[in-house]
Amino acid sequence: MNDLPINGRADLVLKRGEERAIIDLKWRGKARHTNLLSSGEDIQLALYAKLLEPASTWAHTAYFIIEKGQLLVRNTRAFSGVQPVLDELDHEGVYEALLEKINATYQWRLQQLENGEVEIRCEYTHQDLEDHYGEVLLELLEMKTTDAFFDDYQVLIGALS
């Protein structure tokens, strides 16, 4: 991550020989976490997988939804007998691409802050921002087009009255 210090704690780390697997426990949210896996937006799992030693390999990852007693996986290489959320996908390739987007987005946002640029992305502004940035956004993490659940800043741009 470009020498950016990142740390975190995985809920469950499993070892089998040289293989490692990380399971992130979630109380609920099967649909949301299925969507994160299927869209390649499971940033938390990607970072855990990269940070776990040895750094030269990618750990396998999964979400365990406690409410449903269900394991959500991208592939079955480490989790046999579990139906993956999509066809078998190479977690290493997905995570390499995601990490590149994380790095690109971080650098882009850092440059914006250095230039004194701040945006408020919400349903009210997203189309103007998409038009303004154009194809630059294709190399970055996907920006959301809906309002955040908590967003005190919309009042600053007249989106709330």
XYZ file of all heavy atoms in Angstrom, residues 34-98:
510
model
N -22.842 -10.646 0.179
C -22.838 -11.385 -1.082
C -22.528 -10.428 -2.227
O -21.717 -10.743 -3.111
C -24.202 -12.076 -1.314
O -24.407 -13.038 -0.269
C -24.253 -12.772 -2.655
N -23.151 -9.251 -2.206
C -22.898 -8.247 -3.244
C -21.453 -7.764 -3.219
O -20.853 -7.550 -4.278
C -23.850 -7.059 -3.096
C -25.268 -7.401 -3.474
O -25.517 -8.349 -4.214
N -26.212 -6.641 -2.959
N -20.883 -7.588 -2.040
C -19.485 -7.166 -1.953
C -18.571 -8.198 -2.597
O -17.648 -7.854 -3.346
C -19.077 -6.942 -0.493
C -19.639 -5.710 0.201
C -19.262 -5.703 1.678
C -19.166 -4.434 -0.481
N -18.806 -9.475 -2.308
C -17.985 -10.532 -2.899
C -18.181 -10.620 -4.412
O -17.207 -10.728 -5.164
C -18.307 -11.887 -2.269
C -17.747 -12.148 -0.879
C -18.329 -13.428 -0.311
C -16.232 -12.218 -0.915
N -19.422 -10.582 -4.858
C -19.690 -10.776 -6.281
C -19.243 -9.588 -7.124
O -18.912 -9.749 -8.296
C -21.160 -11.100 -6.524
O -21.975 -10.049 -6.090
N -19.199 -8.390 -6.537
C -18.773 -7.207 -7.287
C -17.281 -6.913 -7.124
O -16.773 -5.969 -7.730
C -19.583 -5.988 -6.841
O -19.290 -5.676 -5.499
N -16.586 -7.698 -6.303
C -15.162 -7.447 -6.086
C -14.912 -6.192 -5.280
O -13.893 -5.529 -5.443
N -15.820 -5.862 -4.369
C -15.680 -4.665 -3.540
C -15.470 -4.990 -2.068
O -15.699 -4.145 -1.201
C -16.923 -3.779 -3.694
C -17.103 -3.212 -5.077
C -18.348 -2.350 -5.193
O -19.320 -2.576 -4.442
O -18.341 -1.452 -6.030
N -15.031 -6.187 -1.775
C -14.811 -6.601 -0.388
C -13.441 -6.102 0.088
O -12.520 -6.871 0.313
C -14.981 -8.109 -0.231
C -14.211 -8.910 -1.263
O -14.139 -8.475 -2.428
O -13.686 -9.972 -0.908
N -13.358 -4.798 0.258
C -12.099 -4.129 0.583
C -11.507 -4.644 1.889
O -10.302 -4.900 1.984
C -12.304 -2.599 0.639
C -12.665 -2.082 -0.755
C -11.072 -1.897 1.181
C -13.102 -0.634 -0.773
N -12.328 -4.792 2.902
C -11.828 -5.244 4.201
C -11.156 -6.612 4.073
O -10.049 -6.814 4.568
C -12.970 -5.293 5.211
C -12.542 -5.697 6.595
C -13.705 -5.749 7.573
O -14.871 -5.661 7.198
N -13.388 -5.904 8.843
N -11.801 -7.549 3.380
C -11.212 -8.883 3.217
C -9.936 -8.814 2.388
O -8.962 -9.523 2.671
C -12.213 -9.840 2.574
C -13.404 -10.263 3.419
C -14.292 -11.226 2.646
C -12.970 -10.882 4.734
N -9.927 -7.978 1.362
C -8.734 -7.850 0.519
C -7.547 -7.350 1.330
O -6.429 -7.864 1.200
C -9.008 -6.908 -0.649
N -7.780 -6.361 2.170
C -6.690 -5.838 2.993
C -6.219 -6.868 4.008
O -5.011 -7.044 4.211
C -7.121 -4.542 3.683
C -7.327 -3.357 2.749
C -7.896 -2.166 3.513
C -6.044 -2.979 2.042
N -7.138 -7.568 4.646
C -6.740 -8.636 5.564
C -5.906 -9.679 4.834
O -4.877 -10.142 5.330
C -7.965 -9.332 6.156
C -8.696 -8.589 7.234
C -10.023 -8.896 7.509
C -8.108 -7.594 8.001
C -10.733 -8.246 8.510
C -8.801 -6.937 8.990
C -10.109 -7.260 9.240
O -10.811 -6.618 10.220
N -6.355 -10.073 3.646
C -5.666 -11.115 2.883
C -4.255 -10.701 2.512
O -3.338 -11.524 2.496
C -6.461 -11.461 1.621
N -4.062 -9.440 2.209
C -2.735 -8.960 1.827
C -1.838 -8.755 3.035
O -0.631 -8.988 2.969
C -2.854 -7.648 1.042
C -1.546 -7.194 0.448
C -1.002 -8.230 -0.519
C 0.285 -7.796 -1.148
N 0.887 -8.873 -1.932
N -2.409 -8.326 4.145
C -1.606 -8.014 5.326
C -1.159 -9.243 6.099
O -0.187 -9.194 6.848
C -2.381 -7.078 6.250
C -2.654 -5.686 5.688
C -3.590 -4.922 6.610
C -1.371 -4.915 5.472
N -1.853 -10.344 5.922
C -1.508 -11.556 6.656
C -0.199 -12.131 6.128
O 0.014 -12.218 4.927
C -2.636 -12.591 6.513
C -2.534 -13.819 7.392
C -2.643 -13.443 8.867
C -3.630 -14.809 7.033
N 0.671 -12.498 7.014
C 1.958 -13.081 6.625
C 1.774 -14.514 6.117
O 0.915 -15.218 6.616
C 2.916 -13.083 7.832
C 3.266 -11.699 8.323
C 4.071 -10.884 7.334
O 4.824 -11.490 6.544
O 3.955 -9.663 7.345
N 2.539 -14.971 5.163
C 3.560 -14.211 4.450
C 2.927 -13.281 3.426
O 1.944 -13.620 2.784
C 4.399 -15.283 3.770
C 3.453 -16.418 3.554
C 2.478 -16.368 4.698
N 3.502 -12.100 3.276
C 2.952 -11.079 2.389
C 3.051 -11.458 0.916
O 2.427 -10.840 0.075
C 3.660 -9.745 2.635
N 3.824 -12.473 0.596
C 3.998 -12.880 -0.802
C 2.811 -13.687 -1.321
O 2.732 -13.964 -2.515
C 5.279 -13.702 -0.953
O 5.193 -14.858 -0.134
N 1.901 -14.073 -0.436
C 0.730 -14.843 -0.866
C -0.541 -14.149 -0.397
O -0.517 -13.304 0.501
C 0.754 -16.271 -0.279
O 0.689 -16.172 1.141
C 2.002 -17.032 -0.692
N -1.642 -14.522 -1.008
C -2.950 -13.987 -0.636
C -3.699 -15.050 0.148
O -3.850 -16.176 -0.310
C -3.759 -13.637 -1.880
C -3.262 -12.437 -2.606
C -2.319 -12.412 -3.596
C -3.655 -11.081 -2.405
N -2.119 -11.129 -4.020
C -2.933 -10.292 -3.310
C -4.565 -10.469 -1.547
C -3.081 -8.912 -3.383
C -4.713 -9.097 -1.627
C -3.981 -8.334 -2.524
N -4.182 -14.691 1.310
C -4.986 -15.624 2.093
C -6.357 -15.787 1.441
O -6.854 -14.890 0.767
C -5.157 -15.095 3.523
N -6.966 -16.928 1.637
C -8.350 -17.145 1.224
C -9.230 -16.359 2.201
O -8.849 -16.124 3.346
C -8.705 -18.632 1.298
C -7.827 -19.477 0.443
N -7.987 -19.583 -0.915
C -6.762 -20.261 0.757
C -7.079 -20.402 -1.408
N -6.324 -20.819 -0.408
N -10.424 -15.983 1.755
C -11.285 -15.173 2.611
C -12.736 -15.618 2.519
O -13.144 -16.243 1.534
C -11.219 -13.682 2.214
O -11.593 -13.550 0.844
C -9.839 -13.104 2.441
N -13.492 -15.256 3.547
C -14.930 -15.550 3.569
C -15.590 -14.662 4.613
O -14.935 -14.159 5.530
C -15.171 -17.015 3.906
N -16.878 -14.489 4.439
C -17.719 -13.888 5.474
C -18.536 -15.016 6.091
O -19.019 -15.896 5.387
C -18.712 -12.881 4.882
C -18.118 -11.606 4.356
C -18.156 -11.304 3.006
C -17.542 -10.665 5.217
C -17.641 -10.120 2.511
C -17.020 -9.481 4.733
C -17.078 -9.221 3.377
O -16.565 -8.041 2.893
N -18.707 -14.971 7.409
C -19.646 -15.874 8.063
C -20.760 -15.009 8.636
O -20.521 -14.155 9.488
C -18.988 -16.698 9.176
C -19.937 -17.670 9.807
C -20.258 -18.855 9.163
C -20.536 -17.377 11.021
C -21.161 -19.747 9.729
C -21.435 -18.271 11.602
C -21.750 -19.448 10.950
N -21.974 -15.227 8.127
C -23.138 -14.456 8.571
C -23.761 -15.210 9.746
O -24.387 -16.254 9.570
C -24.155 -14.259 7.432
C -23.470 -13.707 6.170
C -25.295 -13.355 7.894
C -22.746 -12.394 6.349
N -23.581 -14.693 10.935
C -24.013 -15.373 12.158
C -25.524 -15.610 12.165
O -25.983 -16.703 12.487
C -23.563 -14.567 13.400
C -22.031 -14.535 13.461
C -24.160 -15.148 14.672
C -21.455 -13.567 14.475
N -26.296 -14.591 11.797
C -27.755 -14.690 11.814
C -28.256 -15.871 10.971
O -29.220 -16.540 11.339
C -28.342 -13.383 11.271
C -29.838 -13.354 11.145
C -30.311 -12.046 10.527
O -30.004 -11.779 9.350
O -30.981 -11.289 11.255
N -27.594 -16.144 9.864
C -28.015 -17.214 8.954
C -27.204 -18.494 9.148
O -27.545 -19.533 8.572
C -27.859 -16.771 7.489
C -28.636 -15.545 7.115
C -30.095 -15.830 7.004
C -30.839 -14.598 6.519
N -32.255 -14.780 6.500
N -26.101 -18.418 9.888
C -25.226 -19.577 10.026
C -24.651 -19.994 8.681
O -24.501 -21.173 8.393
N -24.304 -18.990 7.851
C -23.891 -19.271 6.481
C -22.539 -18.648 6.168
O -22.267 -17.503 6.516
C -24.941 -18.745 5.509
C -24.705 -19.163 4.089
C -25.887 -18.814 3.193
O -26.808 -18.122 3.590
N -25.842 -19.304 1.978
N -21.712 -19.434 5.464
C -20.407 -18.984 5.010
C -20.531 -18.499 3.572
O -21.048 -19.213 2.712
C -19.410 -20.144 5.096
C -17.934 -19.822 4.981
C -17.469 -18.950 6.151
C -17.126 -21.111 4.934
N -20.068 -17.288 3.301
C -20.079 -16.719 1.954
C -18.653 -16.702 1.431
O -17.778 -16.102 2.049
C -20.641 -15.298 1.970
C -22.029 -15.103 2.572
C -22.389 -13.622 2.607
C -23.063 -15.902 1.796
N -18.427 -17.354 0.288
C -17.073 -17.482 -0.256
C -17.044 -17.088 -1.726
O -18.043 -17.161 -2.425
C -16.529 -18.921 -0.083
C -16.475 -19.316 1.379
C -17.341 -19.925 -0.882
N -15.852 -16.690 -2.183
C -15.645 -16.373 -3.592
C -15.308 -17.638 -4.382
O -15.678 -17.786 -5.529
C -14.515 -15.355 -3.736
C -14.126 -15.084 -5.161
C -13.186 -13.912 -5.317
N -13.964 -12.689 -5.225
C -13.827 -11.784 -4.261
N -12.958 -11.963 -3.308
N -14.573 -10.701 -4.251
N -14.567 -18.535 -3.749
C -14.237 -19.807 -4.388
C -14.102 -20.883 -3.319
O -14.128 -20.600 -2.125
C -12.957 -19.694 -5.240
C -11.740 -19.354 -4.421
O -11.460 -19.992 -3.415
N -10.998 -18.343 -4.836
N -13.979 -22.124 -3.770
C -13.975 -23.246 -2.822
C -12.592 -23.848 -2.621
O -12.483 -24.951 -2.107
C -14.939 -24.345 -3.311
O -14.545 -24.769 -4.617
C -16.368 -23.841 -3.335
N -11.549 -23.144 -2.986
C -10.191 -23.696 -2.832
C -9.862 -24.008 -1.377
O -9.188 -24.975 -1.092
C -9.166 -22.731 -3.414
C -9.248 -22.651 -4.914
C -8.164 -21.772 -5.471
N -8.520 -21.436 -6.837
C -8.090 -20.377 -7.453
N -7.285 -19.526 -6.837
N -8.463 -20.137 -8.687
N -10.323 -23.182 -0.472
C -10.066 -23.419 0.951
C -11.317 -23.856 1.691
O -11.234 -24.297 2.828
C -9.492 -22.164 1.600
N -12.459 -23.738 1.048
C -13.735 -24.007 1.711
C -14.538 -25.004 0.872
O -15.462 -24.625 0.159
C -14.534 -22.710 1.891
C -13.768 -21.614 2.587
C -13.200 -20.581 1.864
C -13.611 -21.632 3.960
C -12.505 -19.569 2.492
C -12.911 -20.625 4.605
C -12.352 -19.586 3.872
N -14.204 -26.262 0.967
C -14.922 -27.260 0.173
C -16.324 -27.467 0.739
O -16.571 -27.286 1.927
C -14.154 -28.583 0.150
O -14.035 -29.104 1.454
N -17.241 -27.808 -0.149
C -18.613 -28.065 0.271
C -19.454 -26.819 0.459
O -20.582 -26.891 0.943
N -18.918 -25.656 0.104
C -19.639 -24.397 0.230
C -19.882 -23.849 -1.172
O -18.980 -23.842 -2.005
C -18.838 -23.369 1.067
C -19.572 -22.050 1.156
C -18.537 -23.915 2.442
N -21.084 -23.394 -1.444
C -21.418 -22.818 -2.745
C -20.853 -21.399 -2.844
O -21.205 -20.546 -2.029
C -22.938 -22.793 -2.932
C -23.398 -22.174 -4.233
C -23.018 -23.005 -5.442
O -23.040 -24.228 -5.392
N -22.644 -22.346 -6.513
N -19.960 -21.119 -3.814
C -19.439 -19.744 -3.954
C -20.531 -18.797 -4.436
O -21.506 -19.220 -5.053
C -18.333 -19.887 -4.998
C -18.627 -21.151 -5.728
C -19.403 -22.039 -4.795
N -20.361 -17.500 -4.165
C -21.380 -16.519 -4.538
C -21.501 -16.363 -6.050
O -22.543 -15.974 -6.546
C -21.141 -15.142 -3.879
C -21.250 -15.240 -2.376
C -19.818 -14.553 -4.293
N -20.448 -16.628 -6.783
C -20.433 -16.621 -8.244
C -19.717 -17.882 -8.693
O -19.323 -18.704 -7.881
C -19.658 -15.405 -8.779
C -20.322 -14.045 -8.690
C -19.365 -12.965 -9.150
C -21.578 -13.989 -9.532
N -19.502 -17.997 -9.994
C -18.652 -19.073 -10.467
C -17.293 -18.925 -9.813
O -16.906 -17.834 -9.393
C -18.507 -19.003 -11.998
C -19.810 -19.336 -12.699
O -20.648 -20.027 -12.097
O -19.986 -18.886 -13.845
N -16.569 -20.009 -9.762
C -15.243 -19.981 -9.128
C -14.392 -18.847 -9.701
O -14.141 -18.791 -10.898
C -14.532 -21.317 -9.383
C -15.175 -22.494 -8.689
C -14.797 -22.597 -7.223
O -13.680 -22.240 -6.839
O -15.652 -23.043 -6.450
N -13.985 -17.929 -8.850
C -13.124 -16.830 -9.266
C -11.798 -16.930 -8.534
O -11.734 -17.355 -7.381
C -13.763 -15.478 -8.944
C -14.987 -15.086 -9.761
C -15.530 -13.750 -9.263
C -14.648 -14.995 -11.232
N -10.752 -16.519 -9.204
C -9.415 -16.490 -8.625
C -9.327 -15.318 -7.646
O -9.328 -14.161 -8.063
C -8.386 -16.343 -9.753
C -6.989 -16.086 -9.243
O -6.643 -16.594 -8.152
O -6.238 -15.372 -9.935
N -9.290 -15.619 -6.361
C -9.267 -14.544 -5.364
C -8.023 -13.676 -5.482
O -8.071 -12.481 -5.243
C -9.407 -15.108 -3.943
C -8.242 -15.898 -3.461
N -7.933 -17.146 -3.946
C -7.305 -15.617 -2.528
C -6.855 -17.599 -3.328
N -6.460 -16.695 -2.462
N -6.908 -14.264 -5.901
C -5.685 -13.479 -6.028
C -5.817 -12.420 -7.115
O -5.437 -11.273 -6.928
C -4.497 -14.399 -6.293
C -4.199 -15.320 -5.130
C -3.068 -16.304 -5.420
O -2.447 -16.210 -6.490
O -2.812 -17.154 -4.550
N -6.388 -12.800 -8.263
C -6.584 -11.837 -9.349
C -7.563 -10.744 -8.975
O -7.345 -9.560 -9.271
N -8.647 -11.132 -8.311
C -9.647 -10.147 -7.867
C -9.005 -9.175 -6.888
O -9.179 -7.957 -6.993
C -10.861 -10.852 -7.220
C -11.789 -9.835 -6.558
C -11.617 -11.668 -8.258
N -8.230 -9.690 -5.937
C -7.635 -8.829 -4.922
C -6.501 -7.973 -5.472
O -6.303 -6.843 -5.033
C -7.191 -9.644 -3.717
C -8.346 -10.081 -2.838
C -8.233 -11.167 -1.994
C -9.556 -9.399 -2.850
C -9.291 -11.564 -1.191
C -10.615 -9.794 -2.054
C -10.477 -10.872 -1.221
O -11.520 -11.260 -0.421
N -5.739 -8.487 -6.436
C -4.697 -7.658 -7.063
C -5.338 -6.450 -7.741
O -4.873 -5.326 -7.583
C -3.895 -8.475 -8.092
C -2.930 -9.465 -7.494
C -1.715 -8.838 -6.846
O -1.436 -7.630 -7.060
O -1.030 -9.553 -6.096
N -6.416 -6.682 -8.496
C -7.113 -5.586 -9.182
C -7.719 -4.617 -8.179
O -7.650 -3.390 -8.370
C -8.188 -6.153 -10.108
N -8.308 -5.142 -7.116
C -8.914 -4.289 -6.096
C -7.858 -3.450 -5.394
O -8.051 -2.247 -5.159
C -9.692 -5.140 -5.087
C -10.456 -4.403 -3.991
C -11.396 -3.349 -4.564
C -11.217 -5.394 -3.129
